Amino acid sequence: MTYIESLAFELEVEGFFSSFNALDFLKRYNNNEISNYEFDVFLKQISYSRYLKKRDANTSLVTNQYI
């Protein structure tokens, strides 16, 4: 599995962007049908998804410390 494939599946599994379909994206990516703009959006979605995941984990940690 390539790095781009793992990022695409990570983005789909996290579910923050419900309209994202990893298989469709990878099919288009492998056929060189992804524009630079679309790829930049994909990278920004990954970054934002990881930010939200980290923020939720930190919130859970703080909540659990006070229980």
Side-chain angles (χ1 to χ4, degrees):
M1 182 180 295
T2 67
Y3 186 63
I4 298 298
E5 289 173 340
S6 64
L7 290 177
F9 287 118
E10 174 186 336
L11 187 59
E12 185 171 355
V13 167
E14 291 301 327
F16 294 115
F17 299 96
S18 59
S19 63
F20 182 79
N21 183 324
L23 293 177
D24 179 49
F25 175 82
L26 291 172
K27 180 180 172 184
R28 292 176 51 231
Y29 178 79
N30 289 332
N31 291 330
N32 294 321
E33 297 173 355
I34 298 289
S35 68
N36 287 338
Y37 176 77
E38 288 176 292
F39 193 72
D40 286 344
V41 169
F42 168 71
L43 294 176
K44 288 175 184 176
Q45 287 175 323
I46 286 291
S47 177
Y48 191 65
S49 176
R50 287 182 174 178
Y51 165 78
L52 291 175
K53 185 174 150 184
K54 184 176 181 181
R55 187 192 67 164
D56 288 345
N58 288 340
T59 303
S60 297
L61 179 63
V62 169
T63 303
N64 290 338
Q65 288 177 345
Y66 292 106
I67 292 179

